[in-house]
Amino acid sequence: MNRNLKLVINNGNQKIEDNYFFEKNELKTILDLYAKMVSEGSWKDYGLNISNRQVSFNVFKSATENATYKICKNFKPSNKNLKYLITDSRGKILKNSQDLVILIKKTNWKKL
């Protein structure tokens, strides 16, 4: 049993900002890619990680503890090309763009 996990339900002390998540069209783009990759047998599971700096869609190829890829949206990027990122399991930036649709379409997911 992992004693580091903490479940917070209806925490009235913290206000969750609407801006700290993927927008509806962004999430649809990511979930369309996810459905395609699952149907091909490449991806098995996903998870979301949300902070006040970024939100990430974490992709798992198997039942490992670390995500294989992360599709991230930075809320306050230092450079406009760092708004959307694809990182590996160690956090190394593999691709980046200011447009999520272009980032996903121009990425060769089989060779990544």
Side-chain angles (χ1 to χ4, degrees):
M1 181 173 189
N2 189 339
R3 297 185 189 272
N4 295 329
L5 295 178
K6 182 178 176 183
L7 177 63
V8 178
I9 299 174
N10 293 333
N11 186 357
N13 297 333
Q14 291 181 336
K15 182 181 175 197
I16 297 174
E17 296 288 332
D18 292 337
N19 299 338
Y20 292 138
F21 199 69
F22 290 111
E23 293 177 17
K24 184 178 179 179
N25 62 338
E26 295 168 335
L27 194 56
K28 182 186 178 331
T29 300
I30 294 170
L31 289 174
D32 287 348
L33 170 67
Y34 177 75
K36 176 185 168 195
M37 297 305 283
V38 167
S39 68
E40 291 178 0
S42 300
W43 294 355
K44 303 292 182 204
D45 201 4
Y46 75 91
L48 294 168
N49 188 15
I50 305 164
S51 74
N52 61 354
R53 292 182 347 162
Q54 78 174 197
V55 61
S56 65
F57 185 91
N58 307 326
V59 176
F60 298 86
K61 284 189 171 183
S62 62
T64 61
E65 289 189 30
N66 294 327
T68 307
Y69 307 112
K70 294 180 183 180
I71 301 171
C72 305
K73 175 184 179 181
N74 284 320
F75 302 121
K76 297 175 184 174
S78 59
N79 178 334
K80 67 180 181 177
N81 283 332
L82 295 176
K83 178 157 185 169
Y84 299 101
L85 309 168
I86 298 173
T87 64
D88 65 8
S89 61
R90 292 166 281 163
K92 179 183 173 192
I93 298 173
L94 303 174
K95 297 226 175 213
N96 61 313
S97 178
Q98 64 186 20
D99 187 307
L100 179 65
V101 174
I102 292 171
L103 177 68
I104 288 177
K105 284 186 178 181
K106 291 199 173 195
T107 301
N108 186 343
W109 293 99
K110 299 221 185 255
K111 292 185 178 181
L112 197 60

